[in-house]
Amino acid sequence: MKLSSKARYGLKAMCYMADHHGEGVISLSTMSSSIGVSEKYLEQLISTLRKAGLISANRGANGGYFLSKDPDDISVGEIIRALEDGLVIIDCLSGECDSKCGCSTHPCDGDGKCNCKTYNVWNKLYEAINDCLDAMSLSSLIKKEV
């Protein structure tokens, strides 16, 4: 499994905002140059993180972005799931059994749970990944406590 650059740069942006939490808004250009990503790409990431309720914005000449919650109250899991479409590692975990996940001969039962023999492997992996990421707060990440 490989995470996209959205996760890498989105997490960097969130860490940058956590480092400057409580200091006011941060402009897109300042954040862009500090984390080494183009403003255009960062704007896309910020938009996704805003929709997830993790970032807020002030508009206007002195506008910019800031964390919607305290860094202690934001898990790394929330951030990564927002940027990586829920971190669903295989379609059958979201109730979409078909040839994409190799379950065409073992369709889902009525409750949306896949009946294929490998379902438990993917589900345990998904749960372990999410448990690990949810155990880390943004604050603990920037303090290097993880």
Side-chain angles (χ1 to χ4, degrees), residues 11 15 20 23 29 40 43-44 51 63 79 89 94 103 110 117 134 145-146:
L11 189 56
C15 285
H20 298 281
E23 298 174 11
S29 62
K40 186 174 181 177
E43 194 168 27
Q44 293 172 15
K51 286 177 188 169
I79 298 165
I89 58 175
S94 61
C103 300
K117 303 220 184 298
D134 286 338
E145 295 174 344
V146 292

Side-chain angles (χ1 to χ4, degrees), residues 92-93 113-114 116-127:
C92 65
L93 292 177
K113 183 177 176 188
C114 185
C116 73
K117 303 220 184 298
T118 61
Y119 174 84
N120 286 334
V121 172
W122 309 127
N123 192 50
K124 284 183 182 205
L125 178 61
Y126 173 78
E127 288 176 354

Side-chain angles (χ1 to χ4, degrees), residues 42-54:
L42 183 57
E43 194 168 27
Q44 293 172 15
L45 300 175
I46 295 290
S47 175
T48 300
L49 293 165
R50 282 185 69 200
K51 286 177 188 169
L54 299 172

